[in-house]
Amino acid sequence: MNWLNRFTCTQGQLGGMIQTLHRANTPPIIDYIQEKPGYGNYEELKDKITKYPGNHFAVKLSSFGVRTSQNRCLEQVEALIERAKQNGSVVYIDAEQHDIQDRISALTDYFMETYNQDKVVVYKTYQMYKKSMPLELREDLCVPRSYALGVKLVRGAYLREDRHHGVLCESEEKTHKQYNQGIADFAIQHRKGDQLLCATHNVRSTFVAKHYIREHKVNNIAFAQLLGMGDVLTDDLEKAGYNVYKYLPYGQLHESIPYLVRRLYENYPMIQHVLR
């Protein structure tokens, strides 16, 4: 458990971890790691959004049955977003496997249009390892809209599943280029009220984001790293005065394993140094 606690925590440890991260000026993005759909997921997140107001929460629509019942998924997630808005919290809708991503994107667009009228309450996740993402991001930025756009940039978390669909960049270098271009596109094309979260452990991408923050004198670009990963980068950003968050996954021990396996697979070049 000591090793696992570097990357996750249990329900009982959650309150203490939230306080610790706030004290470090690196607020948490709270991520319940139970990924199997079921009514218990709704009750769990409803409880935590109520118990820990003013925080940020990550939501996976697959855990609310988006594959089998979009109506029920819509109903439950909308109720959570409504509660989050009332409690001064923010919700990040995670991107997921390619075969359900169109459904997730459509629902997220609806949530943003509904709840981001005054400020960003809902973020949409853009997986920049997909060839189509730069165009989708630019279209979302430029489309006529009355709501603020919440943008969370990631490289991608489902490489093993998505590579079979022919939608991914041909190389890692191309993915890096698209990610950094996404930062530039946001900095240049964003509108008042829009927000960008750069979820990355990549030093080059962080440098690019800091450049645009300085160049365009904007305060609507923030950063995030996973708990137990990229801690030096997180500390450097915090000390330099940037807004930086820590992804805080929590759940039962047996639920943590699939989550950690995927994260370790994604971040092995970096995490191999942590594991020594």
Side-chain angles (χ1 to χ4, degrees), residues 116-179:
N116 289 3
Q117 291 293 327
D118 300 321
K119 62 178 182 179
V120 172
V121 176
V122 178
Y123 279 76
K124 180 179 180 179
T125 303
Y126 297 79
Q127 294 176 307
M128 302 308 290
Y129 70 176
K130 288 187 172 182
K131 292 180 282 189
S132 63
M133 277 301 104
L135 178 59
E136 181 174 334
L137 175 57
R138 285 194 292 269
E139 288 179 344
D140 285 354
L141 285 164
C142 297
V143 68
R145 53 185 167 92
S146 61
Y147 58 92
L149 190 66
V151 175
K152 178 181 135 186
L153 287 188
V154 301
R155 280 170 167 77
Y158 298 92
L159 180 62
R160 284 178 291 182
E161 296 96 327
D162 288 352
R163 68 179 9 149
H164 304 297
H165 295 279
V167 297
L168 303 184
C169 292
E170 302 80 17
S171 66
E172 182 179 355
E173 180 181 356
K174 179 66 173 176
T175 296
H176 294 326
K177 183 177 180 180
Q178 289 198 166
Y179 191 99

Side-chain angles (χ1 to χ4, degrees), residues 16-195:
M17 284 299 301
I18 291 172
Q19 292 179 4
T20 297
L21 290 171
H22 275 291
R23 284 196 298 267
N25 203 29
T26 56
I29 298 174
I30 302 166
D31 185 11
Y32 183 45
I33 57 181
Q34 167 58 264
E35 297 181 347
K36 293 181 180 179
Y39 193 78
N41 295 330
Y42 170 72
E43 291 296 335
E44 174 64 28
L45 279 173
K46 178 183 175 182
D47 174 71
K48 296 305 182 286
I49 290 172
T50 303
K51 189 174 182 178
Y52 303 111
N55 278 289
H56 293 207
F57 294 84
V59 173
K60 295 177 180 65
L61 297 195
S62 61
S63 67
F64 291 89
V66 72
R67 290 182 183 274
T68 56
S69 177
Q70 286 183 249
N71 288 336
R72 183 179 182 186
C73 175
L74 170 61
E75 179 181 330
Q76 292 186 345
V77 176
E78 189 162 30
L80 292 175
I81 294 171
E82 183 66 43
R83 184 170 291 264
K85 184 175 183 179
Q86 294 171 359
N87 282 274
S89 295
V90 171
V91 175
Y92 299 84
I93 306 295
D94 283 350
E96 300 188 57
Q97 295 95 333
H98 180 72
D99 65 328
I100 58 172
Q101 186 55 47
D102 284 348
R103 285 176 250 178
I104 293 171
S105 294
L107 288 171
T108 307
D109 290 342
Y110 164 75
F111 293 141
M112 287 196 297
E113 184 174 0
T114 303
Y115 292 98
N116 289 3
Q117 291 293 327
D118 300 321
K119 62 178 182 179
V120 172
V121 176
V122 178
Y123 279 76
K124 180 179 180 179
T125 303
Y126 297 79
Q127 294 176 307
M128 302 308 290
Y129 70 176
K130 288 187 172 182
K131 292 180 282 189
S132 63
M133 277 301 104
L135 178 59
E136 181 174 334
L137 175 57
R138 285 194 292 269
E139 288 179 344
D140 285 354
L141 285 164
C142 297
V143 68
R145 53 185 167 92
S146 61
Y147 58 92
L149 190 66
V151 175
K152 178 181 135 186
L153 287 188
V154 301
R155 280 170 167 77
Y158 298 92
L159 180 62
R160 284 178 291 182
E161 296 96 327
D162 288 352
R163 68 179 9 149
H164 304 297
H165 295 279
V167 297
L168 303 184
C169 292
E170 302 80 17
S171 66
E172 182 179 355
E173 180 181 356
K174 179 66 173 176
T175 296
H176 294 326
K177 183 177 180 180
Q178 289 198 166
Y179 191 99
N180 295 339
Q181 186 60 50
I183 297 172
D185 288 341
F186 179 89
I188 294 167
Q189 300 177 19
H190 75 274
R191 302 177 195 175
K192 183 178 179 180
D194 292 349
Q195 298 286 334

Side-chain angles (χ1 to χ4, degrees), residues 29 197-201 222-226 234 237 243-247:
I29 298 174
L197 180 74
C198 298
T200 182
H201 301 104
F223 303 88
Q225 288 84 46
L226 295 164
T234 303
L237 288 166
N243 295 322
V244 57
Y245 297 83
K246 271 297 193 185
Y247 249 79

